[in-house]
Amino acid sequence: MNSTNLETILEGRRSQPHQLIEVLQDVQDVYGYIPKDVMGIVAKELGVPLMEVFRVAKFYKAFTLKPRGKNVITICTGTACHVRGSQLLIDQVQGQLRLKPGDTTKDGLFTVECVNCVGACALGPVVVQNGSYSNHMTPGKLRRAIDKVQGKKKEESPHA
Amino acid sequence: MIEEVTLTIDDVLVKAVKGISVLDAAVKSGICIPHLCHVPFLSDIGACRLCIVENVNNGKAKITTSCTLRVQEGMVIRANSEKVLKLRKNIAELLVAHAPNSRAIQDIAVRCGLKEVRYPFHNANCVLCGRCVRYCSEMWQGNAIGFVGRGKDRHVEYPFGKRPDTCKKCNSCVLYCPMSVTPCGEVMKTGEEHLCGKCDSQMAMAEKIPGACVWCETGKSFQCARYA
């Protein structure tokens, strides 16, 4: 199935080095990240040196080389959000999921990222969960959102 | 038919083949412009910024790197004006502060008239001149190394950190690296980096006798046995 996916991405784009970024974007959409072996195939099919593919994939922040979790939580740490306490949100996530920003949980459920600004400073602190924006986030709201995904809604209701 | 253009570099009329860079034209005519990242048969990227010149256009002087500036008819270039020398000295100072453990960089710093370094030393082992990267990709079509990351994380690396099969083990990346030219004395350890300045006497002579040649060998960016 994976190879057919790659086949459709590469169709009509073979031997066109200028299509590199578009192809990598599609790969990222399909796989959630850019796997190592896919990079090799892309390099071969587009006629671009592997080094170039690796360099481009490393250069742009939009591309990730590590597998990402099912749920991507993006915490804005821009100036406005920072002032309104985005550090508390990071602490909350770190404590609850035991990971650092940029990492993925072992069960592959969550990836936590920090970005510099999402452009919604008036609504800060902003947390983006799988593309949907949540405004005026608090550690409590964030904890409930994570609990909801983890599927333990009520069992720990008297939470410390 | 080779077209030639005439331009003025440091008040001297210089004839150059159309399409070559100002740096090449100057060096060919014996006008000294220090440079580090330029290798004659490779493309120029203007990474080291040492070869900056003033390009005077309509009475306005613009500072650009001469290696990426193509010659044009009637161009007026100031390669050794006071402003350029001051800026170049500062660039050399930053370079030598970043990576002092190289005779190539130490030589350039002295040649740019540097007497003391005001910045903290870093003892880095790369100045991102890109000589190795360009040599590998342009000379050997190897594409085995390249720049990875950006900003302060930019560094030279193999793809995925592993030597690829396209590497021909030619060792040119080491040969063309300015950091592979070890300093005159022993290798400086972290904490005891300094501006070498052992060849300062040569420069002192050049200052006293204007126009004296310090045998920097115009065209060789630094004094090492290899062509560089």
Side-chain angles (χ1 to χ4, degrees), chain A residues 7 16 21-22 28 34 37 42 47 53 56 69 74 82-83 87 97-98 103 115 136 138 145 154:
Chain A
E7 197 70 23
Q16 294 178 47
I21 289 178
E22 281 90 341
Q28 168 105 3
I34 301 173
D37 46 340
V42 167
V53 180
V56 169
T74 312
H82 177 80
V83 168
Q87 190 58 45
L97 298 173
R98 305 202 182 285
D103 285 353
V115 291
H136 297 114
T138 58
K154 285 281 149 96

Side-chain angles (χ1 to χ4, degrees), chain B residues 80-120:
Chain B
N80 288 300
S81 68
E82 217 156 272
K83 193 178 169 192
V84 166
L85 286 179
K86 198 180 152 200
L87 281 170
R88 196 179 286 154
K89 195 171 150 188
N90 205 3
I91 291 166
E93 193 174 353
L94 286 164
L95 271 177
V96 83
H98 186 63
N101 246 326
S102 157
R103 187 177 158 196
I105 292 164
Q106 293 275 5
D107 268 6
I108 282 172
V110 170
R111 230 177 76 185
C112 292
L114 198 60
K115 293 275 154 47
E116 59 164 339
V117 180
R118 296 165 294 172
Y119 305 107

Side-chain angles (χ1 to χ4, degrees), chain B residues 186-204:
Chain B
E186 57 185 28
V187 175
M188 299 166 198
K189 290 187 191 78
T190 310
E192 49 184 66
E193 302 99 333
H194 55 88
L195 186 69
C196 174
K198 273 181 186 155
C199 43
D200 212 10
S201 53
Q202 269 186 324
M203 291 309 296

Side-chain angles (χ1 to χ4, degrees), chain A residues 68-74 97 103-105 108-113 128-130 145-146 149-150:
Chain A
R68 286 166 109 194
K70 270 185 196 153
N71 299 278
V72 182
I73 297 174
T74 312
L97 298 173
D103 285 353
T104 306
T105 48
L109 212 54
F110 288 102
T111 296
V112 178
E113 279 176 349
V128 187
Q129 196 180 351
N130 295 335
I146 293 170
V149 176
Q150 279 178 335

Side-chain angles (χ1 to χ4, degrees), chain B residues 139-188:
Chain B
M139 212 57 196
W140 296 110
Q141 265 74 45
N143 294 304
I145 47 174
F147 287 118
V148 172
R150 56 177 172 176
K152 68 176 172 55
D153 298 323
R154 197 164 190 243
H155 61 282
V156 176
E157 202 188 318
Y158 290 133
F160 311 113
K162 211 178 111 236
R163 196 181 66 80
D165 297 336
T166 51
C167 172
K168 296 173 174 67
K169 296 188 182 171
C170 64
N171 219 23
S172 304
C173 42
V174 177
L175 210 64
Y176 275 81
C177 178
M179 298 309 294
S180 68
V181 194
T182 48
C184 293
E186 57 185 28
V187 175
M188 299 166 198

